Amino acid sequence: MTELRTLKVALLGCGNVGAQVARILIDDAGTLAQRTGARLELAGIAVRNLDAEREVDLPRDLFTTDGETLVKDADLVIELMGGIEPARSLILSAIQNGASVVTGNKALLAADGPALYEEADKAGVELSYEAAVAGAIPILRPIRDSLSGDRITRVLGIVNGTTNFILDQMDSTGAQFADALAEAQRLGYAEADPTADIEGHDAAAKAAILASLSFHTRFDLEHVYCEGITRVSAADIAAAKEAGFVIKLLAIAEKIGNGDGSEGVSVRVHPTLLPREHPLAAVRGAFNAVFVEAENAGELMFYGQGAGGTPTASAVLGDLVSAARRIVLGGPGRIESTTGHVPALPIDAATTSYYIGLDVADQPGVLAKIAQLFAEHGVSIEIMRQTIHRDADSNVESAELRIVTHRASEAALAATVEAVKGLDVINSVTSVLRVEGA
């Protein structure tokens, strides 16, 4: 029987995901050896605090605070510490010492991915990051490999479980945003400081990664238009439900023609109305899903748990096994397919529909004035609904108007909304949300 070689694995970080990765490497060592053709030896775990409590009981002698020395002696490095530094420096050190790297650090990849990919290409090693976008969902490998012979035209994703849980709570229970956020924090779906999630920053980093793979061009955070969900009200949710929609925070990357035969890519994150019959509308709780549209494959959807220690560890181990098999079998690391160099387009170039909520005076001619203004800006109205309200104190009536437009350029829609604000019959614009899938 052929003696299996041993590959040393360095683990950087031992939080929820890192602890589960370490457990699997130890508990499933035999199975992993069969799948890779080599023994994967957990050589050490670099952490900031040796005495911190861990979810998993792991051998004390594995822990070290000296990540630099640990990565220099490793064949494979798993980076799960998060943040920009020292993660970036340690990954670069690992690559320059000939180690392949598996990371789940979407913030680092979105901010400085191109430099890391270039260094990995030069060194002939792999930089893998399936866990960086949608937890357990295998989405990057299908886009990079399975669809490499196709042309992807659009990707829409629910890629942040925290915001999906909050919006789902608001939709299913009628809760206000603050109450739904508090429930997410109580259950552990949201951090004590939820800013990165609720302001859309986490989803924007993932959108940049998805766009880069889908359109073979390196996009970073500067190319992503980003809006969070903090302005989504219970009234917005209720009005959307009444009109047959659900509100989701979507990461969208789509190819757009410039009108002169050239193409560009719009990458954006924002709250979006989806028809309830759309597959993404059924994604509940903290789950994630990515909907891919390609010229030949058509519509594809990938669904599963987008966070959590064990589910995300599954994605990490998948990348690790793949990288280990490449070392065993020989050959260069996978080179990033970034040959398209498609320009990133501003949000104004996107084509979408709008949902607009208006508080208007209840008087004759209001609807005609609004319809005329929309027509003047080249924006067609698809749905218009009016509800009359009477103030109990003043006995004055006002009307709540809900409008859904047909698709138009973002620039035309934004100009229309600004013009509407100037009408003397408009008390206020209560909400403006984009619509997809209608």
Side-chain angles (χ1 to χ4, degrees), residues 316-341:
V316 172
L317 267 295
D319 277 344
L320 186 71
V321 167
S322 177
R325 283 185 61 80
R326 183 199 64 79
I327 294 174
V328 170
L329 297 174
R334 176 185 285 111
I335 296 175
E336 288 301 305
S337 176
T338 54
T339 59
H341 306 293

Side-chain angles (χ1 to χ4, degrees), residues 381-418:
I381 295 175
E382 180 178 7
I383 300 171
M384 182 183 290
R385 295 182 179 176
Q386 180 174 277
T387 306
I388 304 300
H389 299 286
R390 182 183 295 276
D391 187 275
D393 297 324
S394 64
N395 203 35
V396 174
E397 287 188 343
S398 64
E400 185 178 29
L401 200 60
R402 305 285 179 178
I403 296 171
V404 177
T405 73
H406 285 287
R407 294 184 72 86
S409 73
E410 176 80 17
L413 289 163
T416 303
V417 172
E418 284 302 310

Side-chain angles (χ1 to χ4, degrees), residues 19-48:
Q20 295 300 330
V21 168
R23 175 188 64 77
I24 295 170
L25 282 170
I26 294 170
D27 293 350
D28 296 348
T31 300
L32 292 171
Q34 291 175 353
R35 294 175 181 173
T36 60
R39 286 189 296 269
L40 301 181
E41 176 191 328
L42 182 56
I45 306 171
V47 294
R48 294 182 177 88

Side-chain angles (χ1 to χ4, degrees), residues 159-160 163 194-207 221 224-230 249-251 268-271:
V159 294
N160 183 273
T163 51
T195 303
D197 293 321
I198 63 176
E199 294 294 352
H201 304 317
D202 175 81
K206 296 170 180 178
L221 278 173
V224 184
Y225 174 84
C226 182
E227 286 181 25
I229 65 168
T230 55
L249 182 73
L250 291 189
R268 47 200 168 94
V269 169
H270 50 68

Side-chain angles (χ1 to χ4, degrees), residues 185-255:
Q185 290 172 319
R186 185 184 72 80
L187 294 172
Y189 293 133
E191 302 289 343
D193 180 2
T195 303
D197 293 321
I198 63 176
E199 294 294 352
H201 304 317
D202 175 81
K206 296 170 180 178
I209 295 170
L210 283 170
S212 297
L213 281 178
S214 298
F215 301 109
H216 310 287
T217 298
R218 288 171 178 168
F219 297 99
D220 57 35
L221 278 173
E222 292 182 357
H223 299 124
V224 184
Y225 174 84
C226 182
E227 286 181 25
I229 65 168
T230 55
R231 294 182 182 177
V232 178
S233 67
D236 291 330
I237 297 283
K241 181 183 287 190
E242 182 182 349
F245 293 94
V246 63
I247 299 177
K248 300 289 187 181
L249 182 73
L250 291 189
I252 302 171
E254 61 181 342
K255 189 167 286 187

Side-chain angles (χ1 to χ4, degrees), residues 1 8 32 34 47 76 92 99-100 126 152 174 191 205 216 249 265 274 300 316-317 345 364 373 406-407:
M1 183 175 179
K8 291 186 176 182
L32 292 171
Q34 291 175 353
V47 294
L76 297 155
L92 285 173
S100 286
E126 287 195 25
I152 292 174
E191 302 289 343
H216 310 287
L249 182 73
V265 172
L274 283 170
L300 307 167
V316 172
L317 267 295
L345 300 178
L373 188 146
H406 285 287
R407 294 184 72 86

